[in-house]
């Protein structure tokens, strides 16, 4: 649903003017109470009062908080502290600065309050420096660590559930819902550990306290595509927990997670709530929130619902943009979320026979609204541990409503990422907790009716354009949401019906036909090169639209012909469309009008770009659509005509792409597809003197052959753009978050069965964190499904052909005897085809491969921090320079690696595959390619020839601009 319509519905459900007025005055009273209460020294409010997240210091503290406690080695911990806390304006002299009004925060450094009271005017940095100088880094490190723990204690009830339960007594009459801290499970072991922890918690707590569970903690593959597995494996776990909870009369609530997991969560909840009385969290920021509440009420079962605003807003927006989704799943404006919250609350309160609602909020206006709407019906409020104390204390004391604390339990190491998430969420400028802490924000504004804050007529936040409009100057390609069951079904059905007809045989192009095609291309060049660049651009934009319109058909073909998964095939289509639009834009910018150059009076000088002639475009099978289309689109945009040869393994995809280009009115002779073996037809093509340039992507060896063939030709020297392979590595230091690293390694090394030029071949990991990371990696490998790419739950399809498989199996066999096996994915017995199970080995640096191993094999090397330079030297020594990944929280480390690297595409703290056209222009250096980068601003220039035109304008009538200039 579009946001405008969704908000239209919500507005109808808001309180009327008189009620709103009452709510405002009640909210104002609450807000005055809250602002008048000095926040606890180490509460989130206090943090936010002293450090906006927009300040460097606030960010620095968060960085340290997020990473410090998990860093195993002192050197890296010191580096982090030095880097993040060594600079910054810790005491700006403002009234609310760090030490003058919140000396308690000094605990962050020393754990001894008194000492800092003595020197309230001094900043943290000088203190830190002095402390370091006097006591040495180890002591400073211990102090900061301890301070982080003290900070953590404000947000986590205890490290064990037993201790947490014991601590509740002092905090009655609050009720508690315990949350077991930690990242989502990556491995079966993780999930088993969480299951134990939840079971243990259910047994330890007593009603009315309750337990919250996260489905992503209970299964490492809690994803829509794994729906059947979730019902087979996750549901029984949930039933077991629900049974235990029921037996003890303890409430159990399923936490809300990212929107792509919503449907699956609801369906599991449906199955579970048939037999058990359980609870579900609903996020008001989702546009579907009201519909979810309606659905829950319509279940007509006794259940509990926790209404929250939602914690992943920024991540969801980013994801929707990256996936090219048609729209956002969330509201773009905070005020719309506030409306949604009220509308949902209304729905839940209206069904007291079925739903027991809990309203999780720290917002005075929201609280006042609920109090008005509830009208005596049963409900409770909820708050996060360490936040909103003043408000909820007042509610308990004066209103007699039940309040529950959502209380994390677990080790401090695991707390900190959670804490940072909470601080980010509440530190946002739009957040109530942030604004109530800021005395500059008038309370009247803070508690005003959110309806009044909406633009009239409603419009989504213009600073958050739809994913489609992300780039401003060209359309972003449209994606498909593969986290939706209906979308997966449509693709699966299409492939299965297409499969009823086997792929058609394709005839090779004969030498004579190639000759004739070249002749036609030469003739066509005369006209195509004269077509104005803007028209050539328009043709390519039509082709992009057609690619998107035929998405399903193309995805089906790529899956069948190339053995690619849905996600891979989909990103092929998107990339192809992006190439067309991006090169169209570049053609308009650079080719449409000549560039006027400065010069003497009486002379006009201009520089213009033109096509060179006939280009040969030779592409590999591993991106059968995107690279094929990208090369052809670039050559055409620059005014060349094209003979394109797809790889022998994927000719049909190339032919379909060509058909689409022709359908968009590329003249038939301006772009032609020829089919055949590289060694014969490909070699013949590049040896032909009519070919003025070659755009090649493929292996290093082939590129060298083409280079030699071009050099051997008589006539003009041809252009060669070659993009070749790489020996791509990721470097991980001990400040990195292991779970995030493993996610990115699994994607980078194994997606597309490792058959991406950008794929990760090597993981260099700091020895201090290697054991943990390697353990996670092994567990995550065990969770991958290798199989038929036509099945939506397949993670890894086959490698391209039997020869590729045989070579990979030989390599793996050799490693089995020479290296240490870390882990491998299971292969279903009886699976027929060119399957190679993803696998990882550990080995010393001198045993690492120096050649590209084109498949799902990861080589892991643990390095000592002191030897980082050797690692960097090794990388340069391969001679390749395509992609490089870095995972670290320490900028100094990142900078050092970046400075040393000679690599085309470097990715920090993310996966190292999936470059986006125009965003991460792609291509390597050294043995990895000649450049310029595909999908970058300089690519088209290599396809062009430049001409200058100089006209002596003085030849007729003198230097008119001098003679006719206005009088002084
Ligand atoms: P390949 O070199 O075997 O084939 C690439 C293309 O060249 C095919 O169309 C083939 O038919 C053709 N060809 C082969 N011999 C030829 C000759 N003598 N003259 C003219 N054409 C000839 O590569 P591949 O196995 O299809 O692709 C995998 C390789 O491509 C890997 O090394 C991978 O790293 C690389 N790759 C690089 C990029 C990049 O952007 N840098 C992108 C994708 C793939």
């Amino acid at each position: 649903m579009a946001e405008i319509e969704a908000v239209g519905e919500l507005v109808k459900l808001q309180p009327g003017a008189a009620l709103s007025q009452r709510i405002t005055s009640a909210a104002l009273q609450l807000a005055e109470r809250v602002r008048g209460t000095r926040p606890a020294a180490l509460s989130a409010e206090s943090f936010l009062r002293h450090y906006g997240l927009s300040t460097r210091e606030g960010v620095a503290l968060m960085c340290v908080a997020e990473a410090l406690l998990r860093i195993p080695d002192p050197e890296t911990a010191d580096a982090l502290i030095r880097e993040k806390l060594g600079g910054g304006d810790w005491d700006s002299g403002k009234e609310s600065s760090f030490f003058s009004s919140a000396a308690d925060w000094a605990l962050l450094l020393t754990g001894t309050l008194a000492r800092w009271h003595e020197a309230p005017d001094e900043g943290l940095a000088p203190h830190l420096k002095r402390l370091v100088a006097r006591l040495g880094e180890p002591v400073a490190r211990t102090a900061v660590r301890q301070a982080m723990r003290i900070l953590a204690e404000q947000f986590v009830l205890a490290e064990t559930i037993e201790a947490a339960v014991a601590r509740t007594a002092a905090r009655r009459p609050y009720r508690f819902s315990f949350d077991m801290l930690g990242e989502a499970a990556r491995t079966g072991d993780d999930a088993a550990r969480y299951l134990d922890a939840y079971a243990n918690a259910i047994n330890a707590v007593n009603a009315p306290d309750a337990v919250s569970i996260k489905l992503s903690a209970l299964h490492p593959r809690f994803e829509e595509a794994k729906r059947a597995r979730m019902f087979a494996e996750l549901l029984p776990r949930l039933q077991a927990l629900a049974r235990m909870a029921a037996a003890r009369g303890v409430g159990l609530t399923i936490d809300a997670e990212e929107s792509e997991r919503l449907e699956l969560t609801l369906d599991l909840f449906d199955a579970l709530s048939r037999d058990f009385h359980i609870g579900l969290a609903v996020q008001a920021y989702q546009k579907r929130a009201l519909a979810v509440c309606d659905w829950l009420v319509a279940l007509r079962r006794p259940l509990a619902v926790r209404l929250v605003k939602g914690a992943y807003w920024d991540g969801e927006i980013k994801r929707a943009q990256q996936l090219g989704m048609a729209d956002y799943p969330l509201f773009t404006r905070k005020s719309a979320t506030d409306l949604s919250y009220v509308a949902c609350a209304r729905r839940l309160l209206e069904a007291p026979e079925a739903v027991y609602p809990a309203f999780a909020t720290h917002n005075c206006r929201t609280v006042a609204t609920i109090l008005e709407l509830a009208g005596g019906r049963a409900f409770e409020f909820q708050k996060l541990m360490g936040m909103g104390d003043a408000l909820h204390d007042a509610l308990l004391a004066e209103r007699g409503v039940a309040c529950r604390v959502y209380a994390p339990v677990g080790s401090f190491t695991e707390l900190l990422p959670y804490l940072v998430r909470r601080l980010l969420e509440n530190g946002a400028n739009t957040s109530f907790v942030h604004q109530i802490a800021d005395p500059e924000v008038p309370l009247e504004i803070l508690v005003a009716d959110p309806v009044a804050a909406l633009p009239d007529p409603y419009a989504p936040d213009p600073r958050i354009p739809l994913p489609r409009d992300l780039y401003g100057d060209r359309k972003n390609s449209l994606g498909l949401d593969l986290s939706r069951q209906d979308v997966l079904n449509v693709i699966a059905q299409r492939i299965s019906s297409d499969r009823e007809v086997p792929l058609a045989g394709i005839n090779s192009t004969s030498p004579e036909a190639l000759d004739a095609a070249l002749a036609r291309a030469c003739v066509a060049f005369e006209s195509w090169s004269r077509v104005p660049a803007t028209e050539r651009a328009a043709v390519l934009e039509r082709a992009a639209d057609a690619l998107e319109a035929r998405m399903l058909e193309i995805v089906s073909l790529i899956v069948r012909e190339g053995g690619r998964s849905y996600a891979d095939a989909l990103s092929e289509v998107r990339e192809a469309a992006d190439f067309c639009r991006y090169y169209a834009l570049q053609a308009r910018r650079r080719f449409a009008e000549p560039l006027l150059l400065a010069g003497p009076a009486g002379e006009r000088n201009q520089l213009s770009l033109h096509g060179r002639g006939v280009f040969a475009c030779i592409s590999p099978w591993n991106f059968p659509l995107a690279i094929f289309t990208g090369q052809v689109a670039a050559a055409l945009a620059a005014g060349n005509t094209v003979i394109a040869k797809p790889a022998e393994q994927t000719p049909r995809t190339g032919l379909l792409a060509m058909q689409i280009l022709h359908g968009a009115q590329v003249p038939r002779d301006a772009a032609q597809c020829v089919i055949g073996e590289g060694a014969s037809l490909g070699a013949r093509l590049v040896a032909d003197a009519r070919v003025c340039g070659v755009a090649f992507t493929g292996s290093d060896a082939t590129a060298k052959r083409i280079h030699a063939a071009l050099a051997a030709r008589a006539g003009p020297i041809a252009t060669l753009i070659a993009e070749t392979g790489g020996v791509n590595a990721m470097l991980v230091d001990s400040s990195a978050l292991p779970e995030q690293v493993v996610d990115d390694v699994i994607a980078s090394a194994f997606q597309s069965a490792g058959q991406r030029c950008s794929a990760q071949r090597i993981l260099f990991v700091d020895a201090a964190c290697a054991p943990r990371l390697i353990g996670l990696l092994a567990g995550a490998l065990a969770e991958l499904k290798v199989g038929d790419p036509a099945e939506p739950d397949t993670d890894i399809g086959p490698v391209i052909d039997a020869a590729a498989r045989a070579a990979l199996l030989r390599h793996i066999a050799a490693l089995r005897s020479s290296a240490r096996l870390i882990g491998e994915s299971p292969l279903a017995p009886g699976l027929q085809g060119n399957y190679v199970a993803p696998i990882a080995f550990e080995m010393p640096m001198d045993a690492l491969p120096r050649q590209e191993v084109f498949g799902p094999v990861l080589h892991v090397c643990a390095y000592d921090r002191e030897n980082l330079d050797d690692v960097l030297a090794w990388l340069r020594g391969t001679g390749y320079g395509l992609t490089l990944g870095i995972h670290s929280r320490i900028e100094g480390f990142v900078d050092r690696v970046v400075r040393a690297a000679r690599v085309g595409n470097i990715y920090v703290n993310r996966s190292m595959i999936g470059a986006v056209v125009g965003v991460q222009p792609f291509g390597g250096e050294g043995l990895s390619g000649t450049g310029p980068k595909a999908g970058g601003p300089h690519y088209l220039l290599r396809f062009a020839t430049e001409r200058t035109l100089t006209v002596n304008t003085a030849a007729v009538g003198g230097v008119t601009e001098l003679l006719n200039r206005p009088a002084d």
Side-chain angles (χ1 to χ4, degrees), residues 70-128:
R70 68 163 174 265
I71 298 179
D73 57 290
E75 293 82 359
T76 308
D78 288 343
L80 182 80
I81 294 171
R82 218 179 299 129
E83 178 174 298
K84 305 297 177 204
L85 301 186
D89 179 14
W90 293 100
D91 183 14
S92 58
K94 287 178 298 193
E95 191 238 323
S96 63
S97 73
F98 190 61
F99 292 105
S100 51
S101 64
D104 302 356
W105 273 96
L107 283 169
L108 276 176
L109 267 188
T110 63
T112 51
L113 195 60
R115 185 200 242 131
W116 297 87
H117 275 302
E118 290 158 16
D121 296 335
E122 290 191 54
L124 180 60
H127 269 291
L128 181 70

Side-chain angles (χ1 to χ4, degrees), residues 618-619 621 645 647-648 678 696-699 702 723-725 757 852:
I618 301 185
S619 49
W621 50 265
K645 195 198 84 62
E648 34 279 66
F696 169 80
T697 305
S699 64
T702 307
E723 312 213 23
T724 57
C757 48
E852 186 180 48

